[in-house]
Amino acid sequence: MDNDPSTLADVARAAGVSVATASKALNGKAHVSARAREAVLAAASDLAFRPNPFARALNRASTNTIGMLTSDLDNRFVLPILLGAEDAFGAGSLSVLLADARDSALREQLQLQSLLTRRVDGVLIVGRTTNPRPPMQSKPDVPVVYVYAPSTDDADLSFEPDNELAGRMAVDHLVATGRTRIGIVNGEDSYAAARDRLRGVTSAMEAHGMELVGNPGLVFGMWNETWGRQAAVRLLERHPDLDAVIAGSDHIGRGVMDAVRESGRRIPEDVAIVGFDNWDILVEGARPQLSSIDMNLQELGRLAAEALVAMIDGRVQHGRVRNPVELVVRGSTDPSVPDAG
């Protein structure tokens, strides 16, 4: 009779699970299904498995280190998310390891493995756009939270700005200031942000019993001032009674403002303009300053980081969380608001 003690691999084999899953089940960790946990515990009992105390201590040990994996470190929208997350991690005396996948799926996998090799307690995955993305190809053995670009797997936890709410807020604000002939100049339709904002705009217009002014073919374009200016020129030529424009981004909004001024109209007396993203260098440099919807990205990063810490502590969460956004009113929609500086 073989009297050699059973190993963790024996337990995993008997339970029909991986060694990593067996280890997590025996140590009471999250991310293990009830069925798998029961199978592991039953196998361990049948085999009279006694875990090595030293190995168990290593398995339970926390490194107090978090991995942050981004697709594009130079992206303007990524930086405030990282700052918010780092603030939250710093408040809990956690160290942060930052890796940049440079928008490469292969590099993302390699960077993830590098973080896991360093025994991080959890990983925050920061997207470069709000387009939903597939989950990581290989599920890590530590908690993962997606932020900005949500995972397409509802079993994952994702945080994203509420772009539909942003669209509704833009319309509600313009209607509150007495505007009735509202058009939109949007960004690229391949971006979920552009589609979601338009969805919010159209739903709010319907709620007010109104329709957008303009040819639907003018709705989508590019994320730059040139497109904003060209589209606004056509919009004003075809609809001279237009009294407000929703710009799909602050860059587009600056172009719209140029076209409105060049047409001889006043901002906001004749045409009010509101943008999205509240990028200070654009909105504060405009004359008058541009009203814009702030995506609260730093807050988004902080909330995602706090959720990751909670998951590390065993409080498992799932689904997509849409964080509220905020309207910042300036002179492009309200003449009573003076330009700062």
Side-chain angles (χ1 to χ4, degrees):
M1 180 176 178
D2 187 359
N3 292 320
D4 288 343
S6 299
T7 66
L8 181 61
D10 296 329
V11 173
R13 191 178 306 110
V17 300
S18 68
V19 172
T21 297
S23 175
K24 287 190 290 185
L26 290 170
N27 285 283
K29 297 216 170 186
H31 300 283
V32 179
S33 69
R35 179 179 298 179
R37 193 182 303 277
E38 290 174 6
V40 169
L41 294 177
S45 177
D46 291 343
L47 294 171
F49 174 69
R50 294 292 181 269
N52 181 302
F54 179 68
R56 183 166 56 186
L58 281 177
N59 187 60
R60 288 180 179 271
S62 170
T63 62
N64 290 323
T65 304
I66 301 294
M68 285 203 292
L69 177 55
T70 175
S71 298
D72 185 359
L73 188 57
D74 292 331
N75 188 301
R76 189 194 74 79
F77 300 108
V78 167
L79 293 177
I81 294 173
L82 295 179
L83 288 173
E86 193 169 36
D87 285 346
F89 291 140
S93 299
L94 296 170
S95 300
V96 177
L97 295 177
L98 179 62
D100 185 7
R102 301 178 190 173
D103 207 24
S104 163
L106 175 59
R107 187 176 176 85
E108 182 180 75
Q109 286 295 324
L110 294 174
Q111 292 285 29
L112 176 63
Q113 291 306 316
S114 176
L115 291 172
L116 295 176
T117 300
R118 294 168 182 262
R119 297 179 56 81
V120 295
D121 296 328
V123 180
L124 193 68
I125 299 179
V126 187
R128 64 182 299 273
T129 75
T130 58
N131 290 9
R133 52 154 293 160
M136 300 299 296
Q137 294 177 13
S138 57
K139 293 286 187 180
D141 289 334
V142 297
V144 173
V145 172
Y146 296 81
V147 58
Y148 203 59
S151 169
T152 54
D153 187 345
D154 289 338
D156 292 324
L157 178 62
S158 304
F159 286 79
E160 59 186 311
D162 195 335
N163 277 299
E164 284 194 42
L165 173 62
R168 294 196 299 272
M169 290 177 70
V171 170
D172 290 344
H173 171 60
L174 291 172
V175 172
T177 62
R179 311 295 166 159
T180 59
R181 302 281 294 166
I182 302 172
I184 183 171
V185 178
N186 210 344
E188 298 176 47
D189 61 358
S190 62
Y191 283 72
R195 300 192 301 272
D196 291 343
R197 289 168 184 176
L198 178 61
R199 192 176 299 114
V201 165
T202 53
S203 67
M205 293 290 285
E206 290 173 3
H208 288 289
M210 303 162 63
E211 291 184 359
L212 280 171
V213 172
N215 186 328
L218 290 177
V219 167
F220 293 108
M222 304 297 292
W223 296 110
N224 57 48
E225 294 187 32
T226 300
W227 159 246
R229 183 166 49 252
Q230 292 173 346
V233 166
R234 292 197 295 267
L235 198 56
L236 290 165
E237 287 175 349
R238 297 173 185 179
H239 305 278
D241 57 348
L242 187 77
D243 63 11
V245 177
I246 296 172
S249 71
D250 296 330
H251 268 116
I252 295 171
R254 289 289 294 262
V256 171
M257 294 180 80
D258 288 344
V260 170
R261 274 193 300 267
E262 290 165 6
S263 73
R265 294 170 174 84
R266 298 167 299 164
I267 305 171
E269 290 81 2
D270 300 320
V271 179
I273 303 164
V274 62
F276 295 95
D277 299 327
N278 198 36
W279 190 359
D280 53 0
I281 195 172
L282 294 175
V283 297
E284 294 175 6
R287 288 297 178 267
Q289 292 187 346
L290 180 62
S291 294
S292 186
I293 311 292
D294 194 313
M295 296 293 109
N296 287 336
L297 297 182
Q298 196 159 335
E299 172 74 359
L300 188 73
R302 184 184 66 79
L303 291 174
E306 290 176 349
L308 179 58
V309 172
M311 290 181 69
I312 292 170
D313 289 340
R315 287 168 281 170
V316 180
Q317 303 174 61
H318 308 281
R320 290 170 65 170
V321 179
R322 292 176 174 85
N323 192 46
V325 296
E326 179 183 3
L327 169 68
V328 181
V329 179
R330 298 188 178 89
S332 70
T333 60
D334 187 346
S336 69
V337 179
D339 285 347

